[in-house]
Amino acid sequence: PETITVAELANRMAERGADLVKALFKMGMPVTLTQTIDQDTAELLVTEFGHTLKRVSESDIDIVASHDADPEDTLQPRAPVVTIMGHVDHGKTSLLDALRGTDVVRGEAGGITQHIGAYQVQVKSGDRITFLDTPGHEAFSEMRGRGANITDIVVVVVAADDGIRPQTIEAINHTKAAGVPMIVAINKVDKPGGNPQKVREALLQYDVQVEEMGGDVQDVEVSALAKTGLDELIEKILLQAELLELKANPDREAEGTVVEAQLDKGRGPVATILVRKGTLRVGDIFVVGAESGKVRALIDDKGKNIKEAGPSMPVEVLGLSGVPGAGDPLTVVENEARAREVAAYRAGVIQAKRTTQAPASLESMFSQLR
Ligand code: GTP
Ligand code: MG
């Protein structure tokens, strides 16, 4: 079977080699950039990173760097995707809530975010911003990692009265690993005993130098409760977004990423998809992870049924064959036979990995010990 080096694959996918090495490590394959991997593994990685497969069969996979697939003149400006991260209880959901002008905190069990919420807000200027909320609980570290990967900008929330905590550091690290710009929101400044300056100084220890400390990381003092500093935060997000010149082609088959998915009693499998490029429409046939389906309904973040969703739009999708995993790529394909073929192929590759790869490497470890 064909093999390819990690570096060459990264090159073809237009991804960073280090990210591939990291993903492979997580899959139980510690390899370096110059080592080769087999076709199945390469295919898994390609899917994992949300790239397009031109042709799929057991022996022949053509990898298309999806970033290059859209010619410059088809690209149109899109809303920035902003992930809110930070330590548990530092006010991520409250801040997002204040930004939305609605109340989601109250509906949550115990006030702790159990999932990644995805919302799009339209601000006074008319600009749109897509926000992803992440949970602060330590069991959700992986989810935060994924959040950082589908985002354009990360807002790290730090409570002025609590300072830098373990998940603040983790959020900083995720942001740096993802190579995306960070904005620090120093929250709860309404509270007596809060010390924003102490937060700015403490951030230096983690190589985060905010503007006031002579660096180039934007920071803003906010209070999600008193609703202060919100306009300034939005301004800084839009300023940062402008520098990034975010664009996507809305006139093509949709590609997206699963933000969250679950089995709903009444509606069956439901996935919240962040559309990355193209436009997802009711009736579209798609593959998502190892599942397939046909879009039965699209529901926006206000609970409204919509007909289509373009780039940077978060949308609930109904009509899936099963529940995909968070972070799985969604790709619209031409027909149902094709969708089932690709889904089955992916399921097979995943299954083969589970049954052969892990025991084999364990075995070799034991034989080395003997
Ligand atoms: P997890 O999702 O559990 O990680 O928490 P979170 O970061 O989303 O925090 P959440 O928004 O649930 O807020 C935690 C607590 O802090 C709640 O009791 C909020 O009312 C409170 N809080 C949030 N923002 C502020 C603020 O600006 N000022 C004050 N005084 N309290 C705040
Ligand atoms: Mg929360």
Side-chain angles (χ1 to χ4, degrees), residues 191-205:
K191 267 184 142 177
N195 190 342
Q197 189 53 27
K198 214 173 115 191
V199 172
R200 288 186 198 99
E201 284 167 17
L203 283 168
L204 289 173
Q205 260 179 282

Side-chain angles (χ1 to χ4, degrees), residues 130-168:
T130 299
F131 286 105
L132 303 180
D133 190 11
T134 58
H137 193 275
E138 35 185 322
F140 293 106
S141 154
E142 206 190 318
M143 219 181 260
R144 285 194 293 276
R146 278 195 300 261
N149 287 340
I150 55 175
T151 202
D152 301 308
I153 297 166
V154 172
V155 171
V156 176
V157 176
V158 188
D161 63 334
D162 201 26
I164 315 293
R165 299 292 303 267
Q167 283 136 46
T168 318

Side-chain angles (χ1 to χ4, degrees), residues 2 50 180 196 202 213 268 280 310 315 317:
E2 296 267 311
V180 296
M213 305 298 291
L280 186 62
V315 69
V317 177

Side-chain angles (χ1 to χ4, degrees), residues 69-76 247-251:
D70 293 304
E72 188 64 35
D73 61 354
T74 64
L75 301 180
Q76 288 179 30
K247 286 176 183 169
N249 176 6
D251 304 312

